[in-house]
Amino acid sequence: MRILVQLKAEADTVYNSEYHNKLRGVIWNALSGTPFYDLHGDRSVPAFSFSNTFPVKPISEGDTRYVLIASHHDELIQVL
């Protein structure tokens, strides 16, 4: 299952291609307190994956970007 997340820029910024660890942390924080948080240390199969933010271009305040998050745990996506 997948979810499309809409993001709104709060300020002008540049696209940072090194954002992956921060975004992964935001997703895990959103799962805190749920049964899926226990999957955090399981390295056998990733609990979720996510796309790059798109569209890729300079970001101005108020711009909209998107991220796709996917998981083989349908309930995890429902929690998000």
Side-chain angles (χ1 to χ4, degrees):
M1 182 176 270
R2 295 179 300 262
I3 186 172
L4 179 63
V5 178
Q6 181 177 327
L7 307 168
K8 285 280 191 187
E10 294 181 350
D12 295 352
T13 189
V14 295
Y15 183 87
N16 182 351
S17 62
E18 301 296 320
Y19 68 89
H20 291 92
N21 286 332
K22 295 292 184 186
L23 180 55
R24 185 174 288 111
V26 167
I27 296 168
W28 279 118
N29 285 339
L31 294 170
S32 181
T34 73
F36 299 103
Y37 193 76
D38 293 339
L39 298 173
H40 191 248
D42 184 359
R43 302 281 186 214
S44 60
V45 177
F48 59 85
S49 60
F50 54 91
S51 70
N52 290 328
T53 56
F54 59 91
V56 177
K57 60 181 183 176
I59 302 168
S60 298
E61 182 178 350
D63 283 354
T64 301
R65 297 293 184 271
Y66 300 93
V67 173
L68 279 171
I69 303 173
S71 178
H72 60 280
H73 301 284
D74 290 350
E75 298 84 13
L76 182 148
I77 295 297
Q78 292 172 357
V79 165
L80 290 175

